[in-house]
Amino acid sequence: ETVTYEYIPSAEVEAAEKSLPNNSLIVFVGRKLDWLFILHCGIFIRDESGAGQLIEASSKHGKVVSFDLGDYVREQGERYLGFAAYKVHDPNAN
């Protein structure tokens, strides 16, 4: 069965970041052989000034860290093809 999965290409991170909703789950898409995989994930949160940060558990740093999303994606180079963002909702909120 063929499945279509849409994601934002890594090269478009700067433009996409402006429209990402606060409190979003970010999943990073990469390729292994002929398969697409979710290789990593994090949470995108905006502060009071509107600046967004990616919060992620870093094996490199051995702890939870915060990065500018664009900087993080650029640092990864070709590891990720892109990413998808999913708004996180509180099911108990009114």
Side-chain angles (χ1 to χ4, degrees):
E1 181 177 332
T2 300
V3 175
T4 300
Y5 183 76
E6 293 185 22
Y7 61 88
I8 301 162
S10 293
E12 297 176 18
V13 66
E14 298 296 335
E17 184 176 352
K18 296 173 185 172
S19 62
L20 292 178
N22 191 22
N23 302 327
S24 295
L25 172 66
I26 303 292
V27 293
F28 295 97
V29 179
R31 184 180 302 279
K32 296 286 186 179
L33 302 174
D34 289 337
W35 295 80
L36 292 181
F37 287 93
I38 302 302
L39 298 177
H40 193 58
C41 64
I43 301 290
F44 179 80
I45 298 175
R46 290 191 189 282
D47 64 19
E48 298 81 30
S49 72
Q53 292 289 304
L54 174 70
I55 313 297
E56 57 109 17
S58 170
S59 56
K60 177 181 175 181
H61 295 96
K63 62 183 179 179
V64 174
V65 293
S66 173
F67 294 104
D68 173 85
L69 179 61
D71 290 346
Y72 177 80
V73 170
R74 281 187 296 281
E75 180 183 297
Q76 298 306 310
E78 295 182 11
R79 179 177 180 203
Y80 302 137
L81 298 172
F83 63 95
Y86 301 95
K87 174 74 174 152
V88 177
H89 296 279
D90 180 352
N92 299 315
N94 292 329

